[in-house]
Amino acid sequence: MKKQLVALSAALALSLTLGSAGVQAKTFTWTASADALSMDPYSTNHSFTNSFMNNIYEGLVRFNEKVQIEPALAESWTAVSPTVWRFKLRSNVKFHNGETMTADDVVFSWQRVQTPGSISKLNLGNVKEVRKVDPLTVDIETKAPFPLLPNELLNLVIMSKSWSEANNAKEASDLQQKKENYANRNTNGTGPFMLKSRDVDVKTVLVANPHWWDKPKHNLTDVVFTPIQSDATRTSSLLSGALDATINVPLQDVQRINSSGAFTVVQGPELRTIFLGMDQFRDELLYSDVKGKNPFKDIRVRKAVYQAIDVDAIKRSVMRGVSWPAGMVLAPQLNGAPKNNTRILPFSVDASKKLLAEAGYPNGFTVGMQCPNNRYVYDEQICLAIISMLGRVGVKITPQFEPVAKWSVRLNTMDVSFYLVGHAGLPMGDSYALLQDVAATRTGNAGGLNAGRYSNPAFDALLPKIASELDTSKRNALMAEAEGIERNDVAYIPLHQQPITWAARKGVDLKQSPDNQLRLWLVTAP
């Protein structure tokens, strides 16, 4: 802790030195609709938290703003056998407390990922072992040939072995069991920014790391993040000049911000698909008036719900025309995704009612709907629209709308019956990652976001083939086959790809990316 304070003091001293030398210090203030859930990088699979923490912690590799793999803490890597990759570490990397990063920290990080509270391990299921070769070399062995290993290693950020041990943080914080440790509110990464202070749900302050191994492209000395849940308050705070940027712009405010003269909206498509999940595992559905049965185990019920939802109406009435209706959970832009994104069944109230009657629910049924109210673009409004649509066919919804922190725990503990969720195939940036995460049978190493516990052995059998296939055309064919199984089973009900809508003070360059990650190390301010 003493070394960490020394490092932070050095960063603050650097800011003062720059100011006295005539270089203006750049404080960047920004907001989003929710806070990061934890400072422990292994304790959650929440994409905004991962994005935020990538400014503090780093992995062996990273994505650039074009969502392309590039070296990070490893300067190079080679395959020494079909299942063993050798990574050469940079020699000039220091943690924020001044200690040098070595292979011991990489091995420790892998071991920490395997601890009970870790969610990251669900996205590292193809890694068998991480071994030290020498102080700056590690071998990573996969369970089978796996050409996407660098992409999967985006899930393994490197933590300090000595710092974690000294602060009783050898294991990941367990948010599901509400078991925190020192790493949940404190950090010691290698990244471009260091944590100066944190007031959960109020304000988090970062300072630039003066000893970062990479050459900074940003011109920031400190960063102030203030989460603001209210759409109206976020926009008014921006326009008042209290903020430099927001990465959650309500679509209804785009014209107002653009016409302000002082701020500009940056907008583009996101890799994320928004879809509905259903509990297909329990014998009796939670939060339902159906006793002794689970309607969602019947594909006719899943099809009925699918056909009762008018995604074009959601685009018009909720998304203000800025969404891309989806026929599958994979965004077509994702690596390896099939290009056929048409819906398997048309919107039809009559067809939906007929299917429900055939399944034994001529009057419908009641079920709870678990929906975040500050996670996705217009998430609560989407759920309200769906509630109205399902009401037309007799499916009555009990709303269970919650902030993302509570909703995430629901997903991770599978305390769901009918729920809204989204996935962008990240951090791997590949269709395989999304399918493994949301549609593989849930185990300790797969199905991390499969809260409804969909399971199909034929689908599962394709995943290792996809993972090990080196021929791109053959791999894509396997991917299409797997997605076809999931789609025809109506494992999920795809809705749309959502837009990325950011806004910033004129002159601020945010380097927007389709993975919706704000890379502070690329931000420049006037």
Side-chain angles (χ1 to χ4, degrees):
M1 183 64 182
K2 182 177 180 181
K3 290 183 178 179
Q4 187 180 24
L5 290 174
V6 169
L8 289 174
S9 298
L12 293 171
L14 178 68
S15 299
L16 293 173
T17 301
L18 289 174
S20 62
V23 179
Q24 184 179 2
K26 302 295 183 182
T27 298
F28 177 68
T29 58
W30 66 292
T31 186
S33 61
D35 200 359
L37 300 181
S38 172
M39 295 291 101
D40 187 331
Y42 304 163
S43 64
T44 174
N45 191 30
H46 178 230
S47 56
F48 175 73
T49 301
N50 295 342
S51 169
F52 189 92
M53 296 307 296
N54 282 343
N55 294 293
I56 299 173
Y57 285 100
E58 299 173 295
L60 301 180
V61 299
R62 71 185 181 195
F63 271 146
N64 61 22
E65 69 272 24
K66 296 180 181 179
V67 197
Q68 300 167 330
I69 288 285
E70 63 182 19
L73 299 184
E75 60 185 12
S76 64
W77 54 90
T78 56
V80 296
S81 80
T83 57
V84 177
W85 297 55
R86 180 157 292 173
F87 288 79
K88 298 295 291 185
L89 307 180
R90 297 184 188 275
S91 61
N92 60 333
V93 176
K94 292 187 180 298
F95 288 102
H96 294 162
N97 66 357
E99 295 176 345
T100 300
M101 184 204 73
T102 70
D104 291 327
D105 299 300
V106 178
V107 173
F108 165 78
S109 297
W110 164 249
Q111 294 169 342
R112 191 177 188 274
V113 161
Q114 305 308 308
T115 59
S118 169
I119 300 297
S120 294
K121 63 184 172 187
L122 297 172
N123 293 325
L124 286 158
N126 293 288
V127 176
K128 180 180 179 181
E129 188 179 5
V130 178
R131 297 185 294 268
K132 175 182 176 180
V133 177
D134 61 45
L136 290 175
T137 309
V138 294
D139 280 352
I140 299 181
E141 183 177 357
T142 57
K143 296 174 182 176
F146 185 57
L148 282 176
L149 177 63
N151 294 64
E152 184 159 294
L153 289 178
L154 291 163
N155 295 285
L156 180 62
V157 301
I158 306 306
M159 296 182 68
S160 163
K161 180 177 186 289
S162 61
W163 179 85
S164 300
E165 291 175 343
N167 292 292
N168 295 317
K170 291 173 61 177
E171 296 191 352
S173 302
D174 193 334
L175 300 188
Q176 281 56 250
Q177 299 298 322
K178 298 182 179 179
K179 295 179 180 178
E180 295 189 11
N181 60 40
Y182 188 76
N184 191 59
R185 295 174 185 265
N186 300 273
T187 67
N188 183 33
T190 59
F193 291 89
M194 306 186 296
L195 180 65
K196 177 184 177 183
S197 64
R198 176 158 170 80
D199 189 355
V200 177
D201 292 329
V202 178
K203 183 170 70 173
T204 299
V205 180
L206 308 178
V207 294
N209 177 7
H211 305 295
W212 190 35
W213 59 269
D214 201 1
K215 183 179 180 180
K217 295 181 181 179
H218 70 87
N219 66 343
L220 312 178
T221 52
D222 55 314
V223 175
V224 179
F225 171 69
T226 306
I228 303 174
Q229 182 172 344
S230 165
D231 287 348
T233 305
R234 274 199 314 280
T235 298
S236 62
S237 296
L238 180 75
L239 294 177
S240 72
L243 298 167
D244 293 315
T246 172
I247 64 167
N248 293 113
V249 176
L251 297 180
Q252 72 267 20
D253 291 342
V254 169
Q255 185 176 356
R256 178 185 171 200
I257 293 172
N258 275 332
S259 63
S260 69
F263 297 87
T264 303
V265 172
V266 185
Q267 194 169 48
E270 189 179 11
L271 293 175
R272 185 179 314 280
T273 303
I274 304 299
F275 46 92
L276 296 166
M278 297 154 282
D279 177 3
Q280 299 168 56
F281 179 82
R282 291 182 177 88
D283 292 328
E284 181 175 297
L285 190 62
L286 294 179
Y287 312 114
S288 174
D289 63 352
V290 179
K291 302 304 176 185
K293 293 174 65 178
N294 182 345
F296 289 135
K297 282 193 170 187
D298 190 326
I299 191 172
R300 292 172 297 185
V301 173
R302 300 198 298 274
K303 286 181 175 179
V305 174
Y306 187 112
Q307 291 198 263
I309 297 172
D310 186 348
V311 293
D312 291 319
I314 292 174
K315 176 178 179 177
R316 289 192 310 269
S317 303
V318 178
M319 302 302 294
R320 296 174 180 259
V322 191
S323 67
W324 294 263
M328 59 182 177
V329 296
L330 299 172
Q333 300 90 344
L334 268 177
N335 182 50
K339 300 309 175 187
N340 178 17
N341 196 27
T342 57
R343 295 178 69 79
I344 61 168
L345 295 168
F347 164 64
S348 173
V349 170
D350 291 339
S352 176
K353 288 180 176 179
K354 183 179 179 182
L355 283 165
L356 284 171
E358 291 175 359
Y361 305 97
N363 299 315
F365 58 92
T366 298
V367 62
M369 184 179 195
Q370 298 77 40
C371 182
N373 57 17
N374 62 343
R375 175 65 187 94
Y376 307 116
V377 179
Y378 289 156
D379 43 17
E380 184 171 347
Q381 293 92 325
I382 292 169
C383 290
L384 288 171
I386 289 170
I387 288 173
S388 177
M389 292 172 183
L390 292 180
R392 297 175 197 161
V393 299
V395 177
K396 297 170 283 294
I397 300 296
T398 303
Q400 294 173 307
F401 298 171
E402 298 170 323
V404 65
K406 291 184 178 179
W407 169 83
S408 293
V409 172
R410 271 196 190 273
L411 287 187
N412 291 330
T413 57
M414 296 163 286
D415 182 20
V416 294
S417 49
F418 179 54
Y419 57 98
L420 184 82
V421 70
H423 204 301
L426 298 169
M428 281 181 67
D430 188 86
S431 297
Y432 166 82
L434 192 153
L435 293 178
Q436 183 193 47
D437 202 21
V438 306
T441 299
R442 188 170 178 122
T443 64
N445 295 312
L449 205 61
N450 185 1
R453 286 180 280 186
Y454 162 76
S455 180
N456 186 319
F459 175 91
D460 290 340
L462 288 170
L463 290 179
K465 296 178 182 179
I466 294 170
S468 60
E469 181 55 63
L470 298 175
D471 184 282
T472 300
S473 60
K474 291 180 180 178
R475 183 177 188 270
N476 289 347
L478 290 168
M479 196 85 71
E481 184 180 353
E483 169 56 22
I485 291 172
E486 176 274 323
R487 197 192 311 204
N488 291 328
D489 282 347
V490 193
Y492 294 95
I493 299 172
L495 300 177
H496 56 243
Q497 274 84 52
Q498 69 176 16
I500 302 174
T501 309
W502 297 357
R505 189 187 308 276
K506 285 191 173 181
V508 174
D509 187 354
L510 298 179
K511 291 289 189 295
Q512 188 181 82
S513 173
D515 63 359
N516 202 13
Q517 177 174 330
L518 181 60
R519 293 170 170 84
L520 292 171
W521 66 89
L522 301 178
V523 173
T524 55

